[in-house]
Amino acid sequence: MNTTLGFAPEWNQFRRWWMIIAALLALLLLLLWFAGYGPGGAACKRALMAGGACDSALAAAPAVTAPVTAPTVAPISPPAAVAAAVAAVAAAPAGAAALPPAAKVYFALNGSVVPKDTGDRLKEVVGYLTHNPKAKAVVSGFHDPSGSVAQNEALALERARAMRSALQSAGIANERVVMQKPALTAGGGPPEEARRVEVSVRAE
C-alpha cells in the first residue's frame, strides 16, 4: 500500500481539500470583515440602527440614551390649528366633482371653543371649497330642547360663529360662509348631536 507520512492516499487527498476549503472560508470571512459586515463594521451599525443585530452580543447590549428635554412650544389657537390641518388638502390637486358630505364638529358641554379635531373633520369640505371658488360653506348650529331655548340658541350661534372663524383661518372668505339659524335636534339621539355644528357645501 502506497502511503505518505503513514497515511493512505485517500486520506491525504481529503486533508488537502479540507485545508483548501478552510482557507477559502477564512478568506471570505476576511473580505466580509473588510467590507464592513463584521462586528463593529459600518454595515453592522446600519443593521443595528434599523432594528437588526450583527451578533448576539451586540443585540443584547443595553441601549444608552441621553435624557431628552421636550421643546417648549407655544399653544396654537384653534383657528390656526384648523388652517394647519387643512393646508395639505387645500394645496392638493382638485379631486372628484362630487360634493363632500357635511362635516360634523362636536363641541364640549356648554362650551364654544373649537375642538382639536376640527381640522381633520373639515378637510374634505375645505378642500372642495378651495378648488371650487364659487361654492359656499353652509354652517348650521344645533341644540337640544332641554333648558332655556333662548340660551341654547345663543350657545349654538356662538359655536357656529367659532366655526366660521375657523373656516376663515383656513382660507375661506367670509362672503362664502352662509350662516343658518340654530336648529333644534330631535330627541332620543346621542347627547353630543345636540352640541354639534354642521358645515356643508352649497354648489353655486
Side-chain angles (χ1 to χ4, degrees), residues 111-151:
S112 59
V113 177
V114 176
K116 293 181 180 180
D117 63 346
T118 301
D120 292 332
R121 293 184 178 273
L122 291 181
K123 276 184 179 180
E124 291 187 46
V125 170
V126 173
Y128 185 92
L129 293 171
T130 301
H131 299 297
N132 297 272
K134 294 184 179 181
K136 293 185 178 181
V138 180
V139 179
S140 305
F142 291 82
H143 62 89
D144 61 15
S146 63
S148 169
V149 176
Q151 290 180 355

Side-chain angles (χ1 to χ4, degrees), residues 125-197:
V125 170
V126 173
Y128 185 92
L129 293 171
T130 301
H131 299 297
N132 297 272
K134 294 184 179 181
K136 293 185 178 181
V138 180
V139 179
S140 305
F142 291 82
H143 62 89
D144 61 15
S146 63
S148 169
V149 176
Q151 290 180 355
N152 289 340
E153 288 185 349
L155 182 58
L157 179 60
E158 188 176 351
R159 290 167 175 166
R161 288 173 175 170
M163 192 57 51
R164 179 177 61 185
S165 298
L167 289 170
Q168 292 173 351
S169 298
I172 307 303
N174 184 44
E175 58 270 16
R176 297 181 62 195
V177 181
V178 179
M179 302 288 288
Q180 289 193 337
K181 183 180 178 180
L184 183 66
T185 59
E192 60 267 18
E193 291 295 319
R195 305 193 304 268
R196 78 184 190 275
V197 173

Side-chain angles (χ1 to χ4, degrees), residues 24-116:
L24 290 176
L25 288 175
L27 181 60
L28 179 61
L29 291 175
L30 188 61
L31 290 175
L32 289 175
W33 186 80
F34 277 116
Y37 287 94
C44 175
K45 293 178 182 178
R46 287 194 298 270
L48 284 176
M49 292 178 65
C54 294
D55 55 25
S56 58
L58 289 176
V64 179
T65 56
V68 179
T69 303
T72 303
V73 181
I76 304 175
S77 62
V82 173
V86 300
V89 176
L99 292 178
K104 294 182 179 182
V105 179
Y106 299 96
F107 285 75
L109 184 65
N110 296 325
S112 59
V113 177
V114 176
K116 293 181 180 180

